[in-house]
Each structure stands twice: as C-alpha cells, then as structure tokens.
C-alpha cells in the first residue's frame, strides 16, 4: 500500500448505529464531499476506504450495525472491514443522548461485542457525536466512561455554529498511545 521506505498508514475502522455520524466524520477527515445523509434510513450500504487529507490514516466507513433491513449484509460488511488488515484503532461512533447513561450503555454494548477478540481492548476508541445537542459536558462524561469501561480514547464532535473553520489534523494524535484519557472537541 505504501511505497518503499514509507510506512503503511494507520487503519481505522468506524462502527456504530445507523445515523450516528460515521460517514459525516469520514467526509470531514478525508475531504470527501456528499458523505453526510439526512436520510430516514441507513444510507451507507457497503464499507468504504478513505485516506485522511494528510494520507496518514486509512479510514473504513461501515454501514450501521442496526439497520431495519439487510442486517446480515450490513454486519458482513463490518466483519469484512475488521478483517481487511491489522487495525490501528476500532472507533465506536455513538450519538450523544440527553442521558449520559444511554451513551455509556450503547458504548458498553459495542465493547462487549468486541472484547473477546485478542487485544481488542487496547485498540478501541470512542467518538461521541452531536455534542451540540446535549447539556452535559465532556468533563462529566470522561470519568464515567473510564470508571465504567476503562476506555482511554475519546473524541467529541458537534456542529460549529460560529462559522470558524475546523481543524481536523487532530485525528492521528488523538488516537495515539500514551495519556489515560484524551479529550478533543472538534466541530463540523
């Protein structure tokens, strides 16, 4: 994949429910337009590979794991994405909810489905989308996530209404090794 002398890009797989914001995030990080959908049903039917704008990460956008139709096909696409090549980070995308408990519970369900895989707990990351729609703060959320699930990589996102362009170069360092909990807020 990389030319001689260059390291292969990190491979990040995004998983989450239908409409959680996976494709929107991929579009922002890769610079690909038309990824976001206001559809009433799942718009992403197949996994797709996209390079970040700086070419340092290869991102796999997957269908939602809870579609109303084509459940087997969607989950087969997710399984294919996970087995495509070694994963640097499996990112669970979850939509912020009025109740923090519901967000933690959704994350817990995904973690429980993947923790039986060898070393999976070391590569799981979390991205909470739609943060502009809730009253709770990242400071309230982070200790709960750590206490409940012991997870250490978190990104928060929401819509920026200020008109200030967002800087998306945070992605590789936000999902790197090191600190116990990482907190980034980016807007789109």
């Amino acid at each position: 994949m990389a030319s001689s002398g260059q390291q292969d890009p990190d491979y990040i797989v995004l998983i989450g429910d239908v409409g959680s914001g996976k494709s929107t995030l991929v579009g922002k990080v890769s610079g690909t337009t038309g990824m976001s959908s206001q559809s009433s049903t799942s718009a992403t039917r197949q996994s797709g590979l996209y390079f970040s704008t700086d070419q340092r990460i290869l991102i796999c956008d997957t269908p939602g794991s809870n579609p109303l139709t084509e459940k087997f096909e969607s989950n087969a696409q997710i399984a294919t994405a996970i087995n495509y090549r070694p994963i640097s980070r499996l990112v669970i995308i979850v939509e912020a909810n009025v109740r923090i408990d519901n967000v933690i519970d959704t994350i817990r369900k995904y973690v429980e489905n993947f923790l039986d895989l060898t070393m999976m707990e070391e590569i799981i990351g979390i991205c909470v989308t739609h943060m502009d729609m809730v009253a709770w703060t990242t400071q309230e959320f982070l200790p709960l996530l750590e206490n409940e699930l012991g997870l250490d990589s978190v990104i928060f996102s929401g819509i920026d209404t200020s008109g200030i362009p967002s800087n998306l170069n945070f992605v590789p360092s936000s999902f790197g090794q090191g600190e116990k909990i990482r907190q980034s807020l980016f807007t789109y």
Side-chain angles (χ1 to χ4, degrees):
M1 188 168 287
S3 61
S4 63
Q6 289 183 322
Q7 183 177 343
D8 281 342
D10 288 338
Y11 178 55
I12 296 176
V13 177
L14 306 182
I15 60 171
D17 290 349
V18 170
S20 59
K22 298 177 301 296
S23 296
T24 299
L25 289 171
V26 169
K28 298 301 176 185
V29 173
S30 69
T32 305
T33 58
M35 300 278 304
S36 183
S37 168
Q38 297 300 317
S39 177
S40 61
T41 59
S42 179
T44 304
R45 303 267 186 236
Q46 296 183 6
S47 296
L49 297 172
Y50 302 86
F51 281 98
S52 61
T53 55
D54 63 6
Q55 304 292 302
R56 294 191 308 168
I57 56 175
L58 179 61
I59 309 155
C60 186
D61 184 22
T62 64
S65 65
N66 64 334
L68 293 176
T69 60
E70 302 175 352
K71 293 178 193 318
F72 177 80
E73 292 83 357
S74 291
N75 287 305
Q77 288 288 317
I78 295 167
T80 300
I82 289 171
N83 290 295
Y84 175 67
R85 63 177 262 201
I87 298 173
S88 304
R89 186 68 69 173
L90 178 70
V91 181
I92 300 167
I93 308 294
V94 61
E95 184 175 350
N97 186 291
V98 173
R99 304 280 186 240
I100 292 177
D101 306 56
N102 293 336
V103 177
I104 298 284
D105 189 54
T106 299
I107 295 167
R108 179 182 288 110
K109 289 175 187 172
Y110 276 97
V111 169
E112 287 172 355
N113 285 330
F114 291 99
L115 275 182
D116 61 329
L117 300 175
T118 306
M119 304 297 284
M120 189 57 77
E121 65 273 3
E122 294 180 12
I123 65 168
I124 288 180
I126 307 298
C127 179
V128 181
T129 62
H130 300 83
M131 284 299 292
D132 53 298
M133 305 300 288
V134 296
W136 50 268
T137 66
T138 59
Q139 290 77 17
E140 292 173 85
F141 181 80
L142 291 170
L144 295 171
L145 182 67
E146 183 178 20
N147 289 339
E148 288 290 317
L149 301 173
L151 296 176
D152 63 359
S153 292
V154 182
I155 291 178
F156 299 95
S157 73
I159 295 173
D160 177 33
T161 57
S162 69
I164 299 170
S166 58
N167 179 354
L168 298 175
N169 292 329
F170 74 92
V171 174
S173 62
S174 294
F175 285 132
Q177 61 279 12
E179 300 169 25
K180 206 157 176 44
I181 290 185
R182 296 179 193 271
Q183 164 176 238
S184 297
L185 177 63
F186 84 92
T187 54
Y188 51 90

